Amino acid sequence: GAGVSQSPRYKVTKRGQDVALRCDPISGHVSLYWYRQALGQGPEFLTYFNYEAQQDKSGLPNDRFSAERPEGSISTLTIQRTEQRDSAMYRCASSLGTSNLQETQYFGPGTRLLVL
Amino acid sequence: QQQVKQSPQSLIVQKGGISIINCAYENTAFDYFPWYQQFPGKGPALLIAIRPDVSEKKEGRFTISFNKSAKQFSLHIMDSQPGDSATYFCAARANFGNEKLTFGTGTRLTIIP
């Protein structure tokens, strides 16, 4: 079956522009997570959803970052007024649920964002 | 504040040898410890995971050893193969209700013939 998909795979933008990154989780997965991964580092948590409800946004760096999952499936991470320090790999993951036996997070291929 | 510390940063092991990667954590609320394997250009994929109620879990050539009192856990890869060459991340998750994974910084493993 299809895994987690993300689009675009690569995004080059100019400083000050807004970008929207899309995540399509595995069908039926309740929980959806956004992480940011710098080169040579592990993924760093940004935010997560159960269905359409944003449960935790403590990892969002500042108010230029926002995320939504309006219908409990596809999610969009939006970065407004991008800055060069926003350049990173943005990864999405989904899990069937959060209880034992459902907690495995499956990661997508990521969106590589480069802000010039 | 780095809550999960991982070492070494890189590791070279001969084919057939044992690869060992170590992680240490601070947060005693962590109760789920997965290891992820990542190949270049791909997302991390779950390899094996353990809960603190057991000291060891083995799946094929992969074993997690867990020391709750020392707040340390490690991944052992037996009979390492060139196909095991990848970056490995340990991670931890706190009790139910705080589902984010906190990752280590990764170990780049290279298996040489």
Side-chain angles (χ1 to χ4, degrees), chain A residues 32-101:
Chain A
L32 184 148
Y33 309 79
W34 283 99
Y35 292 85
R36 180 168 66 176
Q37 186 173 14
L39 207 58
Q41 299 293 316
E44 183 181 2
F45 172 80
L46 295 176
T47 184
Y48 97 95
F49 296 82
N50 278 344
Y51 299 101
E52 71 282 357
Q54 191 170 20
Q55 300 291 328
D56 183 354
K57 55 181 182 178
S58 62
L60 295 177
N62 51 61
D63 60 8
R64 294 187 297 106
F65 287 73
S66 63
E68 63 175 7
R69 192 186 185 199
E71 297 179 359
S73 179
I74 293 169
S75 176
T76 302
L77 177 69
T78 301
I79 309 173
Q80 295 180 311
R81 305 180 303 281
T82 52
E83 300 177 4
Q84 288 182 329
R85 59 178 172 158
D86 299 333
S87 297
M89 176 72 82
Y90 289 83
R91 295 202 187 273
C92 174
S94 71
S95 66
L96 187 59
T98 55
S99 61
N100 292 3
L101 303 180

Side-chain angles (χ1 to χ4, degrees), chain B residues 37-112:
Chain B
Q37 180 188 55
Q38 184 175 13
F39 292 105
K42 303 291 186 182
L46 179 68
L47 188 63
I48 186 173
I50 196 168
R51 294 193 175 277
D53 52 345
V54 296
S55 60
E56 186 175 283
K57 183 173 181 180
K58 183 176 181 179
E59 290 184 2
R61 296 184 295 110
F62 302 92
T63 299
I64 300 178
S65 295
F66 187 84
N67 186 329
K68 188 174 182 178
S69 60
K71 292 187 284 187
Q72 295 175 347
F73 58 110
S74 60
L75 175 69
H76 296 234
I77 305 175
M78 312 299 287
D79 186 27
S80 299
Q81 299 296 312
D84 297 331
S85 297
T87 299
Y88 292 81
F89 294 98
C90 62
R93 194 199 72 179
N95 299 19
F96 184 83
N98 186 8
E99 284 79 8
K100 66 182 181 182
L101 289 174
T102 300
F103 283 85
T105 51
T107 297
R108 189 167 188 171
L109 174 64
T110 303
I111 307 301
I112 57 175

